[in-house]
Amino acid sequence: MDFKAYKGVWVFIEQKDDVVASVSLELLGAGRKLADKRGVELAGILIGENVKHLTKTVFEYGADTVYVYDQPIFQHYRTETYMKALLDCTEKHKPEIILFGATSTGKDLASAVATDLPTGLTADTTELDVEEETGLLLASRPAFGGNIMATILCKKYRPQMATVRAKVMKALTPQPGRTGKVVEETIFLKEEDIRTKVLEIVKETVKKVRIDEADIIVAGGKGLGSLEGFQLIHQFAQTIGGAVGASRDVVEAGWIDHAHQVGQTGVTVTPKIYFAIGISGAIQHIVGMRNSGLIIAINKDKDAPIFQSCHYGIVGDAFEIVPILIEQFQKALSRETVSNTSNGC
């Protein structure tokens, strides 16, 4: 394979209901760093119907070029149609790297494209880098149950591909008015040749827990001892207006639903404040919360790995420390309420 023919970093731009997915904006930020390091352009590939206007957002978040497939057949996401468009564009322009969000759409599309090319695909990546001289993508992710970080390489094939979890990369500050090159692509596809049909879109009505959107998270681990002990986490979170998070061990023990799990096999979060209480700090948990604004850990084991990843650490028994915190927060919140009332707020 002639690697010299492959050049540039691409990001698949996921969109829904006329909005670019936040994970795609985050990947543009990561892709910009990789492209700059290699001295190549950053491109987005946008597929859908009536989506060309979204190129404005893609440029503002760092892309130099956007390849657009804007046709009625792409109105709804289907693996077959999107895959054919992405394969068509890849064969024409030969990118060196393609990044996808590790969403249900991104993972489905990336695996289909990688299989057809064929090339390698690193799933659920949490760290990205590139060798400046060779262009070799260094895609890292937790492995062996989260006990180690593995860096996966694709030495023999191009393009190199990876899916990246939401919230682990940071989007660039958008630059209003920033523009680039729009390349309008077309591919001839007939609806009758597509094996899957969209009959109806049913909007989900069940309200899900979204801890990835919380500003404050109080997370608990097996160090709390039991389901009854874990109720302290709920009490603290309710006091300070935070969401409840949990380690994988807690979820597997049945103390709380999987929707609350933080980590590689759960949710990646970036709150302003993250309390890690009774959590030892396994790698698979750390990668899910390390980009939090402020991390406060409470653990009675002074050698717990969590203390290597927090901003403030308290060594002690959570059942002694957390009740004191709850009491102090309640007092502070009461004073604030009284102050606001006296000021006519």
Side-chain angles (χ1 to χ4, degrees), residues 142 146 262-264 268-269 274 276 279-292 295 305-310:
V262 175
Q264 177 68 16
T268 302
V269 298
Y274 188 89
I279 294 175
S280 62
I283 291 176
Q284 89 88 26
H285 184 83
I286 296 299
V287 298
M289 44 67 81
R290 62 183 171 189
N291 289 327
S292 302
I295 301 171
I306 191 68
F307 289 127
Q308 302 301 314
S309 301
C310 67

PDB file of all heavy atoms in Angstrom, residues 142 146 262-264 268-269 274 276 279-292 295 305-310:
ATOM      1  N   PRO A 142      -8.305   2.082  27.573  1.00  0.00           N
ATOM      2  CA  PRO A 142      -8.103   1.108  28.648  1.00  0.00           C
ATOM      3  C   PRO A 142      -8.313  -0.315  28.123  1.00  0.00           C
ATOM      4  O   PRO A 142      -9.149  -0.554  27.257  1.00  0.00           O
ATOM      5  CB  PRO A 142      -9.177   1.484  29.672  1.00  0.00           C
ATOM      6  CG  PRO A 142      -9.502   2.908  29.375  1.00  0.00           C
ATOM      7  CD  PRO A 142      -9.373   3.032  27.893  1.00  0.00           C
ATOM      8  N   GLY A 146      -9.741  -2.438  32.210  1.00  0.00           N
ATOM      9  CA  GLY A 146      -9.407  -1.100  32.687  1.00  0.00           C
ATOM     10  C   GLY A 146      -8.159  -1.056  33.537  1.00  0.00           C
ATOM     11  O   GLY A 146      -7.858  -0.046  34.164  1.00  0.00           O
ATOM     12  N   VAL A 262     -19.961   5.649  35.810  1.00  0.00           N
ATOM     13  CA  VAL A 262     -18.946   6.519  35.213  1.00  0.00           C
ATOM     14  C   VAL A 262     -17.735   5.675  34.870  1.00  0.00           C
ATOM     15  O   VAL A 262     -17.253   4.904  35.698  1.00  0.00           O
ATOM     16  CB  VAL A 262     -18.540   7.646  36.186  1.00  0.00           C
ATOM     17  CG1 VAL A 262     -17.401   8.478  35.606  1.00  0.00           C
ATOM     18  CG2 VAL A 262     -19.735   8.521  36.522  1.00  0.00           C
ATOM     19  N   GLY A 263     -17.228   5.813  33.649  1.00  0.00           N
ATOM     20  CA  GLY A 263     -16.025   5.078  33.291  1.00  0.00           C
ATOM     21  C   GLY A 263     -16.044   4.569  31.877  1.00  0.00           C
ATOM     22  O   GLY A 263     -16.949   4.850  31.094  1.00  0.00           O
ATOM     23  N   GLN A 264     -15.032   3.783  31.534  1.00  0.00           N
ATOM     24  CA  GLN A 264     -14.870   3.276  30.181  1.00  0.00           C
ATOM     25  C   GLN A 264     -16.072   2.457  29.718  1.00  0.00           C
ATOM     26  O   GLN A 264     -16.477   2.531  28.564  1.00  0.00           O
ATOM     27  CB  GLN A 264     -13.600   2.421  30.111  1.00  0.00           C
ATOM     28  CG  GLN A 264     -13.340   1.756  28.780  1.00  0.00           C
ATOM     29  CD  GLN A 264     -13.003   2.734  27.680  1.00  0.00           C
ATOM     30  OE1 GLN A 264     -12.670   3.880  27.949  1.00  0.00           O
ATOM     31  NE2 GLN A 264     -13.085   2.286  26.440  1.00  0.00           N
ATOM     32  N   THR A 268     -18.872   8.901  30.127  1.00  0.00           N
ATOM     33  CA  THR A 268     -17.791   9.860  30.324  1.00  0.00           C
ATOM     34  C   THR A 268     -18.404  11.198  30.716  1.00  0.00           C
ATOM     35  O   THR A 268     -19.331  11.671  30.058  1.00  0.00           O
ATOM     36  CB  THR A 268     -16.969  10.028  29.039  1.00  0.00           C
ATOM     37  OG1 THR A 268     -16.445   8.759  28.654  1.00  0.00           O
ATOM     38  CG2 THR A 268     -15.821  11.007  29.249  1.00  0.00           C
ATOM     39  N   VAL A 269     -17.915  11.794  31.781  1.00  0.00           N
ATOM     40  CA  VAL A 269     -18.519  13.015  32.317  1.00  0.00           C
ATOM     41  C   VAL A 269     -17.474  14.117  32.457  1.00  0.00           C
ATOM     42  O   VAL A 269     -16.286  13.849  32.640  1.00  0.00           O
ATOM     43  CB  VAL A 269     -19.190  12.754  33.688  1.00  0.00           C
ATOM     44  CG1 VAL A 269     -20.327  11.747  33.544  1.00  0.00           C
ATOM     45  CG2 VAL A 269     -18.178  12.264  34.720  1.00  0.00           C
ATOM     46  N   TYR A 274     -16.598  17.091  40.781  1.00  0.00           N
ATOM     47  CA  TYR A 274     -16.795  15.647  40.852  1.00  0.00           C
ATOM     48  C   TYR A 274     -16.305  15.133  42.201  1.00  0.00           C
ATOM     49  O   TYR A 274     -15.117  15.265  42.530  1.00  0.00           O
ATOM     50  CB  TYR A 274     -16.022  14.953  39.725  1.00  0.00           C
ATOM     51  CG  TYR A 274     -16.302  13.466  39.598  1.00  0.00           C
ATOM     52  CD1 TYR A 274     -17.337  13.006  38.794  1.00  0.00           C
ATOM     53  CD2 TYR A 274     -15.521  12.534  40.271  1.00  0.00           C
ATOM     54  CE1 TYR A 274     -17.598  11.654  38.662  1.00  0.00           C
ATOM     55  CE2 TYR A 274     -15.763  11.173  40.148  1.00  0.00           C
ATOM     56  CZ  TYR A 274     -16.807  10.742  39.338  1.00  0.00           C
ATOM     57  OH  TYR A 274     -17.064   9.393  39.223  1.00  0.00           O
ATOM     58  N   ALA A 276     -15.546  11.906  44.350  1.00  0.00           N
ATOM     59  CA  ALA A 276     -15.306  10.462  44.253  1.00  0.00           C
ATOM     60  C   ALA A 276     -15.191   9.921  45.667  1.00  0.00           C
ATOM     61  O   ALA A 276     -14.186  10.138  46.343  1.00  0.00           O
ATOM     62  CB  ALA A 276     -14.034  10.183  43.463  1.00  0.00           C
ATOM     63  N   ILE A 279     -14.176   5.383  46.184  1.00  0.00           N
ATOM     64  CA  ILE A 279     -13.777   4.869  44.870  1.00  0.00           C
ATOM     65  C   ILE A 279     -12.264   4.733  44.843  1.00  0.00           C
ATOM     66  O   ILE A 279     -11.544   5.704  45.103  1.00  0.00           O
ATOM     67  CB  ILE A 279     -14.250   5.806  43.741  1.00  0.00           C
ATOM     68  CG1 ILE A 279     -15.786   5.820  43.671  1.00  0.00           C
ATOM     69  CG2 ILE A 279     -13.650   5.407  42.406  1.00  0.00           C
ATOM     70  CD1 ILE A 279     -16.358   6.804  42.673  1.00  0.00           C
ATOM     71  N   SER A 280     -11.777   3.537  44.546  1.00  0.00           N
ATOM     72  CA  SER A 280     -10.329   3.295  44.599  1.00  0.00           C
ATOM     73  C   SER A 280      -9.580   4.043  43.502  1.00  0.00           C
ATOM     74  O   SER A 280      -8.477   4.532  43.720  1.00  0.00           O
ATOM     75  CB  SER A 280     -10.043   1.795  44.496  1.00  0.00           C
ATOM     76  OG  SER A 280     -10.504   1.294  43.249  1.00  0.00           O
ATOM     77  N   GLY A 281     -10.162   4.100  42.277  1.00  0.00           N
ATOM     78  CA  GLY A 281      -9.528   4.836  41.197  1.00  0.00           C
ATOM     79  C   GLY A 281      -8.908   3.961  40.124  1.00  0.00           C
ATOM     80  O   GLY A 281      -7.812   4.245  39.633  1.00  0.00           O
ATOM     81  N   ALA A 282      -9.627   2.913  39.714  1.00  0.00           N
ATOM     82  CA  ALA A 282      -9.152   2.070  38.612  1.00  0.00           C
ATOM     83  C   ALA A 282      -9.113   2.904  37.335  1.00  0.00           C
ATOM     84  O   ALA A 282      -9.885   3.848  37.167  1.00  0.00           O
ATOM     85  CB  ALA A 282     -10.083   0.869  38.432  1.00  0.00           C
ATOM     86  N   ILE A 283      -8.225   2.541  36.411  1.00  0.00           N
ATOM     87  CA  ILE A 283      -8.066   3.304  35.170  1.00  0.00           C
ATOM     88  C   ILE A 283      -9.382   3.441  34.435  1.00  0.00           C
ATOM     89  O   ILE A 283      -9.707   4.502  33.902  1.00  0.00           O
ATOM     90  CB  ILE A 283      -7.014   2.639  34.255  1.00  0.00           C
ATOM     91  CG1 ILE A 283      -5.614   2.766  34.875  1.00  0.00           C
ATOM     92  CG2 ILE A 283      -7.015   3.281  32.870  1.00  0.00           C
ATOM     93  CD1 ILE A 283      -4.531   2.061  34.096  1.00  0.00           C
ATOM     94  N   GLN A 284     -10.167   2.355  34.384  1.00  0.00           N
ATOM     95  CA  GLN A 284     -11.419   2.399  33.625  1.00  0.00           C
ATOM     96  C   GLN A 284     -12.391   3.429  34.197  1.00  0.00           C
ATOM     97  O   GLN A 284     -13.200   3.977  33.473  1.00  0.00           O
ATOM     98  CB  GLN A 284     -12.043   0.998  33.556  1.00  0.00           C
ATOM     99  CG  GLN A 284     -12.983   0.613  34.655  1.00  0.00           C
ATOM    100  CD  GLN A 284     -14.425   1.015  34.370  1.00  0.00           C
ATOM    101  OE1 GLN A 284     -14.832   1.144  33.233  1.00  0.00           O
ATOM    102  NE2 GLN A 284     -15.161   1.222  35.436  1.00  0.00           N
ATOM    103  N   HIS A 285     -12.284   3.740  35.482  1.00  0.00           N
ATOM    104  CA  HIS A 285     -13.121   4.789  36.070  1.00  0.00           C
ATOM    105  C   HIS A 285     -12.501   6.166  35.817  1.00  0.00           C
ATOM    106  O   HIS A 285     -13.214   7.116  35.460  1.00  0.00           O
ATOM    107  CB  HIS A 285     -13.288   4.571  37.571  1.00  0.00           C
ATOM    108  CG  HIS A 285     -14.218   5.563  38.208  1.00  0.00           C
ATOM    109  ND1 HIS A 285     -15.582   5.420  38.193  1.00  0.00           N
ATOM    110  CD2 HIS A 285     -13.980   6.744  38.849  1.00  0.00           C
ATOM    111  CE1 HIS A 285     -16.148   6.456  38.801  1.00  0.00           C
ATOM    112  NE2 HIS A 285     -15.186   7.269  39.207  1.00  0.00           N
ATOM    113  N   ILE A 286     -11.204   6.261  35.973  1.00  0.00           N
ATOM    114  CA  ILE A 286     -10.509   7.544  35.812  1.00  0.00           C
ATOM    115  C   ILE A 286     -10.740   8.141  34.431  1.00  0.00           C
ATOM    116  O   ILE A 286     -10.979   9.349  34.288  1.00  0.00           O
ATOM    117  CB  ILE A 286      -8.998   7.391  36.074  1.00  0.00           C
ATOM    118  CG1 ILE A 286      -8.740   6.972  37.532  1.00  0.00           C
ATOM    119  CG2 ILE A 286      -8.260   8.692  35.750  1.00  0.00           C
ATOM    120  CD1 ILE A 286      -9.225   7.962  38.563  1.00  0.00           C
ATOM    121  N   VAL A 287     -10.688   7.315  33.372  1.00  0.00           N
ATOM    122  CA  VAL A 287     -10.840   7.860  32.024  1.00  0.00           C
ATOM    123  C   VAL A 287     -12.234   8.435  31.790  1.00  0.00           C
ATOM    124  O   VAL A 287     -12.432   9.239  30.874  1.00  0.00           O
ATOM    125  CB  VAL A 287     -10.558   6.796  30.942  1.00  0.00           C
ATOM    126  CG1 VAL A 287      -9.132   6.301  31.032  1.00  0.00           C
ATOM    127  CG2 VAL A 287     -11.546   5.633  31.026  1.00  0.00           C
ATOM    128  N   GLY A 288     -13.175   8.064  32.649  1.00  0.00           N
ATOM    129  CA  GLY A 288     -14.526   8.576  32.489  1.00  0.00           C
ATOM    130  C   GLY A 288     -14.784   9.890  33.203  1.00  0.00           C
ATOM    131  O   GLY A 288     -15.826  10.518  32.977  1.00  0.00           O
ATOM    132  N   MET A 289     -13.834  10.354  34.076  1.00  0.00           N
ATOM    133  CA  MET A 289     -14.107  11.566  34.837  1.00  0.00           C
ATOM    134  C   MET A 289     -12.912  12.504  34.980  1.00  0.00           C
ATOM    135  O   MET A 289     -12.999  13.554  35.598  1.00  0.00           O
ATOM    136  CB  MET A 289     -14.613  11.212  36.246  1.00  0.00           C
ATOM    137  CG  MET A 289     -13.859  10.104  36.967  1.00  0.00           C
ATOM    138  SD  MET A 289     -12.149  10.443  37.436  1.00  0.00           S
ATOM    139  CE  MET A 289     -12.364  11.387  38.924  1.00  0.00           C
ATOM    140  N   ARG A 290     -11.784  12.153  34.357  1.00  0.00           N
ATOM    141  CA  ARG A 290     -10.559  12.916  34.601  1.00  0.00           C
ATOM    142  C   ARG A 290     -10.587  14.329  34.047  1.00  0.00           C
ATOM    143  O   ARG A 290      -9.772  15.169  34.439  1.00  0.00           O
ATOM    144  CB  ARG A 290      -9.361  12.170  34.023  1.00  0.00           C
ATOM    145  CG  ARG A 290      -9.413  11.973  32.519  1.00  0.00           C
ATOM    146  CD  ARG A 290      -8.228  11.169  32.049  1.00  0.00           C
ATOM    147  NE  ARG A 290      -8.358  10.796  30.646  1.00  0.00           N
ATOM    148  CZ  ARG A 290      -7.548   9.947  30.043  1.00  0.00           C
ATOM    149  NH1 ARG A 290      -6.559   9.402  30.721  1.00  0.00           N
ATOM    150  NH2 ARG A 290      -7.721   9.663  28.769  1.00  0.00           N
ATOM    151  N   ASN A 291     -11.507  14.625  33.131  1.00  0.00           N
ATOM    152  CA  ASN A 291     -11.600  15.983  32.592  1.00  0.00           C
ATOM    153  C   ASN A 291     -12.562  16.865  33.380  1.00  0.00           C
ATOM    154  O   ASN A 291     -12.922  17.951  32.926  1.00  0.00           O
ATOM    155  CB  ASN A 291     -12.029  15.933  31.122  1.00  0.00           C
ATOM    156  CG  ASN A 291     -10.931  15.406  30.217  1.00  0.00           C
ATOM    157  OD1 ASN A 291      -9.749  15.631  30.479  1.00  0.00           O
ATOM    158  ND2 ASN A 291     -11.300  14.681  29.174  1.00  0.00           N
ATOM    159  N   SER A 292     -12.971  16.409  34.542  1.00  0.00           N
ATOM    160  CA  SER A 292     -13.839  17.221  35.405  1.00  0.00           C
ATOM    161  C   SER A 292     -13.092  18.471  35.852  1.00  0.00           C
ATOM    162  O   SER A 292     -11.861  18.467  36.000  1.00  0.00           O
ATOM    163  CB  SER A 292     -14.270  16.413  36.641  1.00  0.00           C
ATOM    164  OG  SER A 292     -14.946  15.229  36.254  1.00  0.00           O
ATOM    165  N   ILE A 295     -11.913  17.807  41.044  1.00  0.00           N
ATOM    166  CA  ILE A 295     -12.131  16.448  41.538  1.00  0.00           C
ATOM    167  C   ILE A 295     -11.748  16.386  43.002  1.00  0.00           C
ATOM    168  O   ILE A 295     -10.624  16.718  43.380  1.00  0.00           O
ATOM    169  CB  ILE A 295     -11.302  15.429  40.738  1.00  0.00           C
ATOM    170  CG1 ILE A 295     -11.674  15.491  39.247  1.00  0.00           C
ATOM    171  CG2 ILE A 295     -11.523  14.016  41.279  1.00  0.00           C
ATOM    172  CD1 ILE A 295     -10.755  14.688  38.349  1.00  0.00           C
ATOM    173  N   PRO A 305      -5.323   4.758  44.341  1.00  0.00           N
ATOM    174  CA  PRO A 305      -4.922   5.447  43.100  1.00  0.00           C
ATOM    175  C   PRO A 305      -5.715   6.718  42.816  1.00  0.00           C
ATOM    176  O   PRO A 305      -5.212   7.608  42.121  1.00  0.00           O
ATOM    177  CB  PRO A 305      -5.186   4.386  42.025  1.00  0.00           C
ATOM    178  CG  PRO A 305      -5.104   3.079  42.739  1.00  0.00           C
ATOM    179  CD  PRO A 305      -5.660   3.344  44.105  1.00  0.00           C
ATOM    180  N   ILE A 306      -6.927   6.817  43.342  1.00  0.00           N
ATOM    181  CA  ILE A 306      -7.755   8.001  43.080  1.00  0.00           C
ATOM    182  C   ILE A 306      -7.060   9.279  43.521  1.00  0.00           C
ATOM    183  O   ILE A 306      -7.259  10.351  42.923  1.00  0.00           O
ATOM    184  CB  ILE A 306      -9.133   7.880  43.788  1.00  0.00           C
ATOM    185  CG1 ILE A 306     -10.093   8.966  43.291  1.00  0.00           C
ATOM    186  CG2 ILE A 306      -8.981   7.921  45.298  1.00  0.00           C
ATOM    187  CD1 ILE A 306     -10.518   8.831  41.869  1.00  0.00           C
ATOM    188  N   PHE A 307      -6.189   9.191  44.528  1.00  0.00           N
ATOM    189  CA  PHE A 307      -5.507  10.385  45.020  1.00  0.00           C
ATOM    190  C   PHE A 307      -4.454  10.911  44.038  1.00  0.00           C
ATOM    191  O   PHE A 307      -3.974  12.034  44.194  1.00  0.00           O
ATOM    192  CB  PHE A 307      -4.870  10.108  46.384  1.00  0.00           C
ATOM    193  CG  PHE A 307      -5.878   9.955  47.506  1.00  0.00           C
ATOM    194  CD1 PHE A 307      -5.859   8.837  48.320  1.00  0.00           C
ATOM    195  CD2 PHE A 307      -6.844  10.926  47.725  1.00  0.00           C
ATOM    196  CE1 PHE A 307      -6.780   8.695  49.351  1.00  0.00           C
ATOM    197  CE2 PHE A 307      -7.776  10.785  48.745  1.00  0.00           C
ATOM    198  CZ  PHE A 307      -7.744   9.666  49.561  1.00  0.00           C
ATOM    199  N   GLN A 308      -4.113  10.090  43.038  1.00  0.00           N
ATOM    200  CA  GLN A 308      -3.187  10.547  42.002  1.00  0.00           C
ATOM    201  C   GLN A 308      -3.909  11.328  40.908  1.00  0.00           C
ATOM    202  O   GLN A 308      -3.267  11.945  40.053  1.00  0.00           O
ATOM    203  CB  GLN A 308      -2.473   9.337  41.375  1.00  0.00           C
ATOM    204  CG  GLN A 308      -1.708   8.475  42.358  1.00  0.00           C
ATOM    205  CD  GLN A 308      -0.633   9.252  43.097  1.00  0.00           C
ATOM    206  OE1 GLN A 308       0.125  10.008  42.482  1.00  0.00           O
ATOM    207  NE2 GLN A 308      -0.562   9.072  44.410  1.00  0.00           N
ATOM    208  N   SER A 309      -5.236  11.306  40.940  1.00  0.00           N
ATOM    209  CA  SER A 309      -6.015  11.938  39.868  1.00  0.00           C
ATOM    210  C   SER A 309      -6.960  13.025  40.359  1.00  0.00           C
ATOM    211  O   SER A 309      -7.769  13.523  39.589  1.00  0.00           O
ATOM    212  CB  SER A 309      -6.838  10.857  39.130  1.00  0.00           C
ATOM    213  OG  SER A 309      -6.003   9.870  38.583  1.00  0.00           O
ATOM    214  N   CYS A 310      -6.873  13.386  41.621  1.00  0.00           N
ATOM    215  CA  CYS A 310      -7.802  14.385  42.161  1.00  0.00           C
ATOM    216  C   CYS A 310      -7.079  15.706  42.441  1.00  0.00           C
ATOM    217  O   CYS A 310      -5.851  15.754  42.535  1.00  0.00           O
ATOM    218  CB  CYS A 310      -8.459  13.872  43.431  1.00  0.00           C
ATOM    219  SG  CYS A 310      -7.326  13.670  44.831  1.00  0.00           S
TER     220      CYS A 310
END
